[in-house]
Coordinates of all heavy atoms in Angstrom, one line a residue:
M134 N 10.7 27.0 -2.0 CA 9.8 25.9 -1.5 C 9.0 25.4 -2.7 O 8.5 26.2 -3.6 CB 8.8 26.4 -0.5 CG 9.4 27.0 0.9 SD 10.1 25.7 1.8 CE 8.7 25.1 2.7
K135 N 9.0 24.1 -2.9 CA 8.3 23.5 -3.9 C 7.3 22.5 -3.3 O 7.7 21.6 -2.7 CB 9.1 22.8 -5.0 CG 8.4 22.2 -6.0 CD 9.3 21.5 -7.0 CE 8.6 20.8 -8.1 NZ 9.6 20.2 -9.1
Y136 N 6.0 22.6 -3.6 CA 5.0 21.6 -3.1 C 4.3 20.9 -4.2 O 4.0 21.5 -5.3 CB 3.9 22.4 -2.4 CG 2.7 21.6 -1.8 CD1 2.9 20.8 -0.8 CD2 1.4 21.7 -2.6 CE1 1.8 20.0 -0.4 CE2 0.5 21.0 -2.1 CZ 0.6 20.0 -1.0 OH -0.5 19.3 -0.6
T137 N 4.4 19.6 -4.2 CA 3.6 18.7 -5.1 C 2.6 17.9 -4.4 O 2.8 17.4 -3.4 CB 4.6 17.9 -5.9 OG1 5.3 17.0 -5.0 CG2 5.6 18.8 -6.6
F138 N 1.6 17.6 -5.3 CA 0.4 16.8 -4.7 C 0.2 15.9 -5.8 O -0.4 16.1 -6.9 CB -0.8 17.7 -4.4 CG -1.9 16.9 -3.8 CD1 -2.1 16.6 -2.5 CD2 -3.0 16.5 -4.7 CE1 -3.0 15.9 -2.1 CE2 -4.0 15.9 -4.2 CZ -4.1 15.5 -3.0
D139 N 0.5 14.5 -5.6 CA 0.3 13.5 -6.7 C -0.7 12.5 -6.2 O -0.8 12.0 -5.0 CB 1.6 12.7 -6.9 CG 2.8 13.6 -7.3 OD1 2.5 14.6 -8.2 OD2 3.9 13.5 -6.8
V140 N -1.6 12.1 -7.1 CA -2.5 11.1 -6.8 C -2.5 10.1 -7.8 O -2.5 10.4 -9.0 CB -4.0 11.8 -6.8 CG1 -5.1 10.7 -6.6 CG2 -4.1 12.9 -5.9
F141 N -2.4 8.7 -7.4 CA -2.3 7.7 -8.3 C -3.7 6.9 -8.2 O -4.1 6.6 -7.1 CB -1.2 6.8 -8.0 CG 0.2 7.5 -8.1 CD1 0.7 8.0 -6.9 CD2 0.8 7.7 -9.1 CE1 1.9 8.8 -7.0 CE2 2.0 8.5 -9.4 CZ 2.5 8.9 -8.2
N142 N -4.1 6.4 -9.3 CA -5.4 5.8 -9.4 C -6.5 6.5 -8.7 O -7.2 6.0 -7.8 CB -5.3 4.3 -8.7 CG -6.5 3.4 -9.0 OD1 -7.4 3.7 -9.9 ND2 -6.5 2.2 -8.5
L143 N -6.8 7.6 -9.3 CA -7.7 8.8 -8.8 C -9.0 8.2 -8.7 O -9.7 8.4 -7.5 CB -7.7 9.9 -9.7 CG -8.7 11.0 -9.2 CD1 -8.1 11.6 -7.9 CD2 -8.6 12.1 -10.3
T144 N -9.5 7.4 -9.6 CA -10.9 6.9 -9.5 C -11.0 5.6 -8.7 O -12.1 5.0 -8.7 CB -11.5 6.6 -10.9 OG1 -10.6 5.7 -11.6 CG2 -11.5 8.0 -11.7
N145 N -9.9 5.0 -8.3 CA -9.8 3.9 -7.5 C -10.5 2.6 -8.2 O -11.2 1.9 -7.8 CB -10.6 4.0 -6.1 CG -10.0 2.9 -5.1 OD1 -8.9 2.4 -5.2 ND2 -10.9 2.8 -4.1
T146 N -10.2 2.6 -9.6 CA -10.7 1.6 -10.4 C -9.9 0.2 -10.2 O -8.7 0.2 -10.2 CB -10.6 2.0 -12.0 OG1 -11.1 3.2 -12.0 CG2 -11.1 1.0 -12.8
T147 N -10.7 -0.8 -10.1 CA -10.1 -2.3 -9.9 C -9.7 -2.8 -11.2 O -10.6 -2.8 -12.1 CB -11.1 -3.1 -9.1 OG1 -11.6 -2.4 -7.9 CG2 -10.4 -4.4 -8.8
S148 N -8.5 -3.4 -11.2 CA -8.2 -4.3 -12.5 C -8.0 -5.6 -12.0 O -7.1 -6.0 -11.1 CB -6.8 -3.7 -13.0 OG -6.9 -2.4 -13.4
F149 N -8.8 -6.5 -12.5 CA -8.8 -7.9 -12.2 C -7.7 -8.7 -12.8 O -7.4 -8.5 -14.0 CB -10.1 -8.5 -12.2 CG -11.2 -7.9 -11.5 CD1 -12.1 -7.1 -12.0 CD2 -11.2 -8.2 -10.1 CE1 -13.1 -6.6 -11.2 CE2 -12.2 -7.7 -9.3 CZ -13.2 -6.9 -9.8
D150 N -7.0 -9.7 -12.1 CA -6.1 -10.6 -12.7 C -6.9 -11.6 -13.5 O -8.1 -11.7 -13.6 CB -5.3 -11.3 -11.6 CG -4.1 -11.9 -12.0 OD1 -3.7 -11.7 -13.2 OD2 -3.4 -12.6 -11.2
V151 N -6.2 -12.4 -14.2 CA -6.7 -13.5 -15.0 C -7.4 -14.6 -14.3 O -6.8 -14.9 -13.1 CB -5.4 -14.1 -15.9 CG1 -6.1 -15.3 -16.8 CG2 -4.9 -13.2 -16.8
P152 N -8.5 -15.1 -14.6 CA -9.2 -16.1 -13.8 C -8.3 -17.4 -13.8 O -7.5 -17.6 -14.7 CB -10.6 -16.4 -14.5 CG -10.7 -15.2 -15.5 CD -9.3 -14.7 -15.7
I153 N -8.7 -18.3 -12.8 CA -8.0 -19.5 -12.6 C -8.3 -20.4 -13.9 O -9.4 -20.5 -14.2 CB -8.4 -20.2 -11.3 CG1 -8.0 -19.5 -10.1 CG2 -7.7 -21.6 -11.3 CD1 -8.5 -20.0 -8.8
D154 N -7.2 -20.9 -14.6 CA -7.4 -21.6 -15.8 C -6.7 -23.0 -15.7 O -6.3 -23.5 -16.7 CB -7.0 -20.9 -16.9 CG -5.5 -20.4 -17.0 OD1 -4.9 -20.7 -15.9 OD2 -5.1 -19.9 -18.0
D155 N -6.5 -23.6 -14.6 CA -5.8 -24.8 -14.3 C -6.8 -25.8 -14.7 O -7.6 -26.3 -13.8 CB -5.2 -24.9 -13.0 CG -4.5 -26.1 -12.7 OD1 -4.0 -26.8 -13.7 OD2 -4.4 -26.6 -11.6
V156 N -6.8 -26.3 -16.0 CA -7.8 -27.4 -16.4 C -6.9 -28.6 -16.6 O -6.0 -28.8 -17.2 CB -8.3 -27.0 -17.7 CG1 -9.3 -28.1 -18.1 CG2 -9.1 -25.6 -17.6
S157 N -7.4 -29.7 -15.9 CA -6.9 -31.1 -16.0 C -8.0 -31.9 -16.4 O -8.8 -32.2 -15.4 CB -6.0 -31.5 -14.7 OG -6.9 -31.3 -13.6
Q158 N -8.2 -32.3 -17.5 CA -9.2 -33.1 -17.9 C -8.8 -34.6 -17.9 O -7.8 -35.0 -18.2 CB -9.6 -32.8 -19.5 CG -10.3 -31.5 -19.5 CD -10.8 -31.3 -21.0 OE1 -10.4 -32.0 -21.9 NE2 -11.6 -30.3 -21.2
N159 N -9.8 -35.4 -17.5 CA -9.6 -36.8 -17.5 C -8.3 -37.3 -16.8 O -7.5 -37.9 -17.4 CB -9.7 -37.4 -18.9 CG -11.0 -37.2 -19.5 OD1 -12.1 -37.0 -18.8 ND2 -11.0 -37.0 -20.8
E160 N -8.1 -36.9 -15.6 CA -6.9 -37.3 -14.8 C -6.7 -38.7 -14.7 O -5.5 -39.2 -14.9 CB -7.0 -36.7 -13.4 CG -6.6 -35.3 -13.2 CD -6.5 -34.9 -11.8 OE1 -6.2 -35.6 -11.0 OE2 -6.9 -33.7 -11.6
F161 N -7.8 -39.5 -14.6 CA -7.6 -40.9 -14.3 C -8.2 -41.6 -15.6 O -8.9 -42.7 -15.5 CB -8.3 -41.3 -13.1 CG -8.0 -40.7 -11.9 CD1 -8.6 -39.7 -11.3 CD2 -6.7 -41.0 -11.4 CE1 -8.2 -39.0 -10.3 CE2 -6.2 -40.2 -10.3 CZ -7.0 -39.2 -9.7
Y162 N -7.8 -41.1 -16.8 CA -8.4 -41.7 -18.0 C -7.7 -43.1 -18.3 O -6.5 -43.1 -18.3 CB -8.1 -40.7 -19.2 CG -8.7 -41.4 -20.5 CD1 -10.0 -41.3 -20.7 CD2 -7.8 -41.7 -21.6 CE1 -10.6 -41.8 -22.0 CE2 -8.3 -42.1 -22.7 CZ -9.6 -42.2 -23.0 OH -10.1 -42.7 -24.1
N163 N -8.5 -44.0 -18.6 CA -7.9 -45.4 -18.9 C -8.5 -46.0 -20.2 O -8.4 -47.2 -20.3 CB -8.0 -46.3 -17.8 CG -9.5 -46.7 -17.4 OD1 -10.4 -46.2 -18.1 ND2 -9.7 -47.5 -16.4
N164 N -9.2 -45.2 -20.9 CA -9.7 -45.7 -22.2 C -10.9 -46.7 -22.2 O -11.3 -47.3 -23.1 CB -8.6 -46.2 -23.1 CG -9.0 -46.2 -24.6 OD1 -9.9 -45.5 -25.0 ND2 -8.2 -47.1 -25.4
Y165 N -11.2 -47.0 -20.9 CA -12.4 -47.8 -20.7 C -13.3 -47.3 -19.7 O -12.9 -47.0 -18.6 CB -12.0 -49.2 -20.2 CG -13.1 -50.3 -20.1 CD1 -13.6 -50.8 -21.3 CD2 -13.7 -50.5 -18.9 CE1 -14.7 -51.7 -21.1 CE2 -14.6 -51.5 -18.7 CZ -15.2 -52.0 -19.9 OH -16.3 -53.0 -19.8
P166 N -14.5 -46.9 -20.2 CA -15.5 -46.1 -19.2 C -16.0 -47.2 -18.0 O -16.2 -48.2 -18.3 CB -16.6 -45.7 -20.1 CG -16.6 -46.6 -21.2 CD -15.1 -47.0 -21.4
I167 N -16.0 -46.5 -16.8 CA -16.4 -47.4 -15.7 C -17.9 -46.7 -15.4 O -18.0 -45.5 -15.4 CB -15.5 -47.1 -14.5 CG1 -14.1 -47.7 -14.9 CG2 -16.0 -47.9 -13.3 CD1 -13.1 -47.4 -13.9
Q168 N -18.8 -47.6 -15.1 CA -20.1 -47.2 -14.8 C -20.1 -46.2 -13.6 O -19.6 -46.8 -12.5 CB -21.1 -48.2 -14.7 CG -22.5 -48.0 -14.6 CD -23.4 -49.1 -14.6 OE1 -23.0 -50.2 -14.6 NE2 -24.6 -48.8 -14.5
G169 N -20.6 -45.1 -13.7 CA -20.8 -44.2 -12.4 C -19.6 -43.2 -12.4 O -19.7 -42.3 -11.5
V170 N -18.7 -43.3 -13.1 CA -17.5 -42.5 -13.0 C -17.7 -41.4 -14.2 O -17.7 -41.8 -15.4 CB -16.1 -43.1 -13.2 CG1 -14.9 -42.2 -13.1 CG2 -16.0 -44.2 -12.0
P171 N -17.8 -40.1 -13.9 CA -17.9 -39.1 -15.0 C -16.6 -39.0 -15.8 O -15.4 -39.3 -15.3 CB -18.1 -37.8 -14.3 CG -17.6 -38.0 -12.9 CD -17.7 -39.5 -12.7
L172 N -16.7 -38.7 -17.2 CA -15.6 -38.6 -17.8 C -14.8 -37.3 -17.6 O -13.6 -37.3 -18.0 CB -15.9 -38.7 -19.4 CG -16.5 -40.0 -19.9 CD1 -17.0 -39.9 -21.4 CD2 -15.5 -41.1 -19.7
Y173 N -15.4 -36.4 -17.3 CA -14.8 -35.1 -16.9 C -15.1 -34.6 -15.5 O -16.2 -34.4 -15.1 CB -15.3 -34.0 -18.0 CG -14.7 -32.7 -17.7 CD1 -13.4 -32.4 -17.8 CD2 -15.5 -31.6 -17.2 CE1 -12.9 -31.2 -17.6 CE2 -15.2 -30.3 -16.9 CZ -13.7 -30.1 -17.2 OH -13.3 -28.9 -16.9
N174 N -14.0 -34.4 -14.8 CA -14.1 -33.8 -13.4 C -13.6 -32.4 -13.5 O -12.3 -32.2 -13.4 CB -13.4 -34.7 -12.4 CG -14.0 -36.1 -12.3 OD1 -15.2 -36.3 -12.3 ND2 -13.2 -37.2 -12.0
P175 N -14.4 -31.5 -13.4 CA -13.8 -30.1 -13.5 C -13.2 -29.7 -12.1 O -13.7 -30.2 -11.2 CB -15.1 -29.2 -13.7 CG -16.2 -29.9 -13.3 CD -15.8 -31.4 -13.5
P176 N -12.1 -29.0 -12.1 CA -11.4 -28.7 -11.0 C -12.3 -27.6 -10.2 O -12.9 -26.8 -10.9 CB -10.1 -28.1 -11.3 CG -10.2 -27.7 -12.8 CD -11.3 -28.6 -13.4
S177 N -12.2 -27.6 -8.8 CA -12.9 -26.5 -8.1 C -12.2 -25.3 -8.3 O -11.0 -25.2 -8.4 CB -12.9 -26.9 -6.7 OG -11.6 -27.0 -6.2
G178 N -12.8 -24.2 -8.5 CA -12.3 -22.9 -8.5 C -12.1 -22.4 -9.9 O -11.4 -21.3 -10.2
L179 N -12.4 -23.2 -10.9 CA -12.2 -22.8 -12.3 C -12.9 -21.6 -12.7 O -14.1 -21.5 -12.5 CB -12.5 -23.9 -13.2 CG -12.3 -23.7 -14.8 CD1 -10.9 -23.7 -15.0 CD2 -12.9 -25.0 -15.5
G180 N -12.2 -20.5 -13.1 CA -12.9 -19.3 -13.6 C -13.0 -18.3 -12.6 O -13.7 -17.2 -12.7
I181 N -12.5 -18.5 -11.3 CA -12.6 -17.6 -10.2 C -11.4 -16.6 -10.2 O -10.3 -17.1 -10.3 CB -12.7 -18.3 -8.9 CG1 -14.0 -19.1 -8.9 CG2 -12.7 -17.4 -7.7 CD1 -14.2 -20.0 -7.7
V182 N -11.7 -15.4 -10.0 CA -10.6 -14.4 -9.9 C -10.3 -14.1 -8.4 O -11.2 -13.8 -7.7 CB -11.0 -13.1 -10.6 CG1 -10.0 -12.1 -10.4 CG2 -11.4 -13.3 -11.9
N183 N -9.0 -14.5 -8.0 CA -8.7 -14.3 -6.6 C -7.7 -13.1 -6.4 O -7.3 -12.9 -5.2 CB -8.2 -15.5 -5.8 CG -7.7 -16.6 -6.7 OD1 -8.0 -16.7 -7.9 ND2 -6.9 -17.5 -6.1
K184 N -7.2 -12.4 -7.4 CA -6.3 -11.4 -7.2 C -6.6 -10.1 -8.1 O -7.3 -10.3 -9.1 CB -4.9 -11.9 -7.7 CG -4.4 -13.0 -6.8 CD -3.1 -13.5 -7.4 CE -2.5 -14.7 -6.6 NZ -1.4 -15.3 -7.1
T185 N -6.0 -9.0 -7.7 CA -6.3 -7.9 -8.6 C -4.8 -7.3 -8.9 O -3.8 -7.7 -8.3 CB -6.8 -6.7 -7.7 OG1 -6.1 -6.5 -6.5 CG2 -8.4 -7.1 -7.4
I186 N -4.8 -6.6 -10.0 CA -3.5 -6.0 -10.5 C -3.5 -4.6 -10.0 O -4.5 -3.9 -10.2 CB -3.4 -6.1 -12.1 CG1 -3.5 -7.6 -12.3 CG2 -2.3 -5.6 -12.5 CD1 -3.7 -7.8 -14.0
G187 N -2.3 -4.1 -9.7 CA -2.2 -2.7 -9.3 C -2.5 -2.5 -7.8 O -2.5 -3.5 -7.0
S188 N -2.6 -1.3 -7.5 CA -2.8 -1.0 -6.1 C -4.0 0.1 -6.0 O -4.6 0.6 -6.9 CB -1.6 -0.2 -5.6 OG -1.3 0.9 -6.2
P189 N -4.6 0.2 -4.7 CA -5.7 1.1 -4.4 C -5.1 2.5 -4.6 O -4.0 2.8 -5.0 CB -6.0 0.7 -3.0 CG -4.9 0.2 -2.3 CD -4.1 -0.4 -3.5
R190 N -6.1 3.5 -4.5 CA -5.7 4.9 -4.5 C -4.6 5.3 -3.6 O -4.6 4.9 -2.4 CB -7.0 5.7 -4.2 CG -6.8 7.1 -4.4 CD -8.0 7.9 -3.9 NE -9.2 7.6 -4.6 CZ -10.3 7.2 -4.0 NH1 -10.4 7.2 -2.8 NH2 -11.3 6.8 -4.8
Q191 N -3.7 6.0 -4.1 CA -2.5 6.5 -3.3 C -2.4 8.0 -3.5 O -2.4 8.5 -4.6 CB -1.3 5.9 -3.7 CG -1.3 4.3 -3.3 CD 0.0 3.6 -3.8 OE1 0.9 4.3 -4.3 NE2 0.1 2.3 -3.5
I192 N -2.3 8.6 -2.4 CA -2.1 10.1 -2.5 C -0.6 10.4 -1.9 O -0.3 9.9 -0.8 CB -3.1 10.8 -1.7 CG1 -4.5 10.6 -2.3 CG2 -2.8 12.4 -1.6 CD1 -5.6 11.2 -1.5
Q193 N 0.1 11.3 -2.6 CA 1.5 11.6 -2.0 C 1.6 13.0 -2.1 O 1.4 13.7 -3.0 CB 2.5 10.9 -3.0 CG 3.8 11.3 -2.7 CD 4.8 10.5 -3.8 OE1 4.5 9.4 -4.1 NE2 5.8 11.2 -4.3
M194 N 2.2 13.6 -1.1 CA 2.3 15.1 -1.0 C 4.0 15.3 -0.6 O 4.4 14.6 0.3 CB 1.5 15.8 0.2 CG 0.0 15.7 -0.2 SD -1.0 16.5 1.0 CE -1.0 15.3 2.2
T195 N 4.5 16.1 -1.3 CA 6.0 16.5 -1.0 C 6.1 17.9 -0.8 O 5.4 18.8 -1.5 CB 6.8 16.0 -2.0 OG1 6.4 16.5 -3.4 CG2 6.7 14.5 -2.2
L196 N 7.0 18.3 0.0 CA 7.4 19.7 0.2 C 8.9 19.8 0.2 O 9.6 19.1 1.0 CB 6.8 20.2 1.6 CG 7.2 21.7 1.8 CD1 6.5 22.6 0.8 CD2 6.7 22.0 3.2
R197 N 9.5 20.5 -0.8 CA 10.9 20.6 -0.9 C 11.4 22.0 -0.7 O 10.8 22.9 -1.2 CB 11.3 20.1 -2.3 CG 11.0 18.7 -2.7 CD 11.5 18.3 -3.9 NE 11.2 17.0 -4.3 CZ 11.4 16.4 -5.4 NH1 12.1 16.9 -6.3 NH2 11.0 15.1 -5.6
F198 N 12.4 22.1 -0.1 CA 13.1 23.3 0.2 C 14.5 23.3 -0.6 O 15.3 22.6 -0.3 CB 13.4 23.5 1.6 CG 14.0 24.7 2.1 CD1 13.4 26.0 1.9 CD2 15.3 24.9 2.5 CE1 14.0 27.1 2.1 CE2 15.9 26.0 2.8 CZ 15.2 27.2 2.7
V199 N 14.6 24.2 -1.5 CA 15.8 24.3 -2.4 C 16.5 25.6 -2.0 O 15.9 26.7 -2.0 CB 15.4 24.2 -3.8 CG1 16.7 24.2 -4.6 CG2 14.6 23.0 -4.2
F200 N 17.8 25.3 -1.7 CA 18.7 26.6 -1.4 C 20.0 26.4 -2.2 O 20.4 25.6 -2.6 CB 18.9 26.8 0.1 CG 19.6 25.6 0.7 CD1 21.0 25.7 0.9 CD2 18.9 24.5 1.2 CE1 21.6 24.7 1.6 CE2 19.6 23.4 1.7 CZ 21.0 23.5 2.0

């Protein structure tokens, strides 16, 4: 009999994914400023992390019978 006990990500440390970096500057640029229209419209959600890399803590136990 062989018993193994494996633990992955023991400290349950979170690894964050890269923040959103979809930058589109001056989408409607026409080389002539219009009064009241800003030159830069930042996209919503810029710099927000919405995903993690890896998995949470996992525990695995196995029991093998070798004959």
Side-chain angles (χ1 to χ4, degrees):
M134 300 284 281
K135 180 181 178 183
Y136 173 75
T137 59
F138 182 81
D139 301 318
V140 179
F141 301 98
N142 196 5
L143 178 65
T144 59
N145 203 19
T146 305
T147 305
S148 299
F149 294 107
D150 197 6
V151 179
I153 297 172
D154 60 352
D155 182 22
V156 178
S157 53
Q158 289 185 348
N159 298 331
E160 277 185 35
F161 306 107
Y162 180 72
N163 65 0
N164 201 18
Y165 185 75
I167 300 171
Q168 186 174 3
V170 177
L172 294 177
Y173 174 67
N174 294 326
S177 62
L179 182 64
I181 295 176
V182 177
N183 24 336
K184 296 180 184 173
T185 57
I186 300 173
S188 60
R190 182 184 305 126
Q191 295 180 354
I192 300 173
Q193 172 181 325
M194 295 182 282
T195 58
L196 182 62
R197 295 181 185 184
F198 179 70
V199 181
F200 61 97

